[in-house]
Amino acid sequence: KAVVSTQSTGATRTYNPAVRVGNWIEDVQLEEDIIKDFQEKKDAGELLIQKTHNVMNQLLRNEQLSEKTEHNHLMFGSKINLRHLASGTVLSSKISELKSLNSSQLKSSCDISASLMTNPTPRNVFQICSVEEEIPKKPLCYGQQFVLKTLPGPGGELSLWSDRATFTKCAPKSRFPVVQLQDDSSYNTVWQVLCKNPLIRMEMEGKPVVSGEPILLNHCKTNQNLACMAQYQRRTPYGLEMEVCCQTFLDPHKAEREENLWSIVVGSSE
């Protein structure tokens, strides 16, 4: 039944809750269509949250590092972690949630950070590659040029890249030269390992690099060292992570500070 009440402003009609008015059949059909479309996308794995989780899970799956050699020498072709000694973090790719919706792997250009997630995964495992096309079966030596690449598949085979800082291209917080992963084969992707002790640095050139030893990772074009800036942190889909740049920091004795000290880890090295 309908109840009619008359007020000074006019007549209003109040209906019983069971009475349907207006375009009720269209509203019901629209709600059913929305639920049906949602269920179809869910079954096909096309929801945005499903795409994001799938990519994140691919980048966080377990990965194997190369086994240690007899003398713990690093070899070309080895799968390694690059660990920052002072903070205990590892060099890792940082894919954004927006980019993860449109791709199932890392795409150029991809940001780099230092993460406390130290388990070997596709986002933090790199391969030591020669600047030539073929990978020689030789130890990596101090002062020898090489390229660090991510793994095929989810890693996208991108190269660790840096260049001189500009007003528009630099690290977001420190404003030092930026470090990224790029699909590039120029001199911007060439690095070398230097001995941390400046007094014997020249004598160490040409000797094999030992895994787990403190080293400097020097960018050949800019002659600046890879650095972890623990005082600059940003929130990422993987948690709170530290900014990485390419800048040499020296103490009063002209020796590199802890920001520049890294170690290359293989196997079960700590």
Side-chain angles (χ1 to χ4, degrees), residues 3-159:
V3 178
V4 179
S5 62
T6 305
Q7 301 177 353
S8 60
T9 56
T12 60
R13 188 180 297 272
T14 304
Y15 291 94
N16 185 292
V19 178
R20 297 182 174 181
V21 296
N23 297 327
W24 64 270
I25 185 65
E26 289 85 352
D27 294 338
V28 171
Q29 188 64 43
L30 181 61
E31 290 181 3
E32 292 178 352
D33 290 343
I34 292 175
I35 294 175
K36 184 178 179 181
D37 291 342
F38 174 83
Q39 192 63 42
E40 289 178 352
K41 288 184 177 181
K42 181 180 178 181
D43 295 338
E46 295 180 354
L47 295 178
L48 297 184
I49 190 170
Q50 288 178 314
K51 292 180 179 180
T52 301
H53 285 175
N54 289 338
V55 175
M56 297 302 177
N57 290 336
Q58 285 288 327
L59 294 176
L60 295 178
R61 72 185 185 189
N62 290 331
E63 193 68 49
Q64 284 292 116
L65 298 179
S66 297
E67 295 296 329
K68 292 189 292 185
T69 60
E70 181 179 357
H71 301 289
N72 289 344
H73 292 164
L74 292 170
M75 307 292 293
F76 279 97
S78 295
K79 298 178 182 178
I80 59 99
N81 274 150
L82 195 59
R83 183 168 299 177
H84 187 248
L85 297 178
S87 63
T89 56
V90 294
L91 192 71
S92 305
S93 59
K94 188 179 67 175
I95 187 173
S96 66
E97 292 184 354
L98 181 61
K99 287 185 177 181
S100 67
L101 302 179
N102 303 318
S103 176
S104 60
Q105 63 181 13
L106 299 178
K107 291 291 186 181
S108 180
S109 58
C110 179
D111 291 333
I112 282 288
S113 62
S115 173
L116 290 170
M117 301 175 63
T118 58
N119 293 335
T121 60
R123 72 179 290 250
N124 62 28
V125 175
F126 296 87
Q127 188 173 25
I128 301 174
C129 299
S130 172
V131 292
E132 303 171 357
E133 294 185 1
E134 296 184 0
I135 299 179
K137 298 296 182 181
K138 298 179 181 178
L140 176 67
C141 298
Y142 286 100
Q144 187 174 9
Q145 296 182 351
F146 67 97
V147 178
L148 276 179
K149 287 190 175 184
T150 56
L151 302 180
E157 292 188 276
L158 303 179
S159 301

Side-chain angles (χ1 to χ4, degrees), residues 73 139-144 203-210:
H73 292 164
L140 176 67
C141 298
Y142 286 100
Q144 187 174 9
E203 288 82 349
M204 291 296 294
E205 287 191 6
K207 295 184 179 180
V209 181
V210 178

Side-chain angles (χ1 to χ4, degrees), residues 167-260:
F167 287 111
T168 58
K169 199 171 188 64
C170 58
K173 292 191 174 183
S174 66
R175 312 303 293 176
F176 289 126
V178 68
V179 179
Q180 293 179 328
L181 293 173
Q182 297 263 13
D183 185 13
D184 187 10
S185 58
S186 68
Y187 199 56
N188 289 335
T189 62
V190 179
W191 302 79
Q192 62 180 343
V193 174
L194 300 180
C195 177
K196 75 163 188 173
N197 189 345
L199 299 178
I200 61 172
R201 190 164 295 165
M202 293 185 63
E203 288 82 349
M204 291 296 294
E205 287 191 6
K207 295 184 179 180
V209 181
V210 178
S211 63
E213 289 291 322
I215 55 99
L216 305 173
L217 193 62
N218 178 263
H219 188 240
C220 293
K221 178 180 177 180
T222 61
N223 196 31
Q224 297 294 317
N225 297 327
L226 190 70
C228 174
M229 310 297 292
Q231 66 270 38
Y232 299 118
Q233 299 184 0
R234 299 183 67 185
R235 294 196 177 277
T236 71
Y238 313 98
L240 201 63
E241 298 187 346
M242 302 174 188
E243 185 173 277
V244 173
C245 65
C246 195
Q247 180 71 22
T248 301
F249 297 93
L250 301 177
D251 63 16
H253 302 287
K254 302 298 181 181
E256 282 74 13
R257 294 186 346 210
E258 62 179 15
E259 289 92 336
N260 295 126

Side-chain angles (χ1 to χ4, degrees), residues 156-168:
E157 292 188 276
L158 303 179
S159 301
L160 192 65
W161 179 98
S162 185
D163 201 355
R164 294 183 178 88
T166 64
F167 287 111
T168 58

